[in-house]
Amino acid sequence: MLNGIFWILCSGAKRRDLPERYGPWKTVYQRFRLWRDNGTFEQVLRHLHLRLREDGFIDLDTWMVDSTSIRATRAASGARKKGACKSRSTNVSAEAVVG
């Protein structure tokens, strides 16, 4: 059960994409919610963290709780949409020229 919870958290996949070897996704999710709500999951993580630190498998300088990666769309980087007019005029500010 715990391996299924960690698989979902580490992979970032949807709950429904949980491999069958971990059991039914609904059961894994219900157990995660129950453990999260009653504090069991936090205790497991705390004990795991202490054990890894005692055994020297964790570097406290690089311990992270969350790491997020966001992929920007083409439009966010200034790319034109398909079929857009190619002779689009742009205004250059004085700050951009001086900077």
Side-chain angles (χ1 to χ4, degrees), residues 26-44:
K26 287 183 180 183
T27 305
V28 172
Y29 180 64
Q30 287 172 349
R31 189 68 51 92
F32 168 72
R33 286 187 53 194
L34 175 69
W35 289 353
R36 182 197 61 195
D37 293 345
N38 70 15
T40 302
F41 194 68
E42 186 174 337
Q43 288 178 346
V44 168

Side-chain angles (χ1 to χ4, degrees), residues 25-84:
W25 70 268
K26 287 183 180 183
T27 305
V28 172
Y29 180 64
Q30 287 172 349
R31 189 68 51 92
F32 168 72
R33 286 187 53 194
L34 175 69
W35 289 353
R36 182 197 61 195
D37 293 345
N38 70 15
T40 302
F41 194 68
E42 186 174 337
Q43 288 178 346
V44 168
L45 291 179
R46 187 179 311 119
H47 288 293
L48 179 62
H49 180 242
L50 290 173
R51 181 72 180 265
L52 290 172
R53 190 171 53 169
E54 288 172 357
D55 293 344
F57 290 114
I58 194 167
D59 181 9
L60 293 177
D61 294 332
T62 60
W63 176 255
M64 292 179 237
V65 174
D66 183 22
S67 178
T68 305
S69 176
I70 299 172
R71 183 176 173 184
T73 63
R74 291 180 298 166
S77 65
R80 292 189 179 104
K81 293 181 181 180
K82 290 182 180 178

Side-chain angles (χ1 to χ4, degrees), residues 5-18:
I5 293 171
F6 283 141
W7 187 90
I8 292 171
L9 293 174
C10 291
S11 70
K14 296 178 183 177
R15 293 184 298 266
R16 294 176 188 258
D17 294 336
L18 181 71

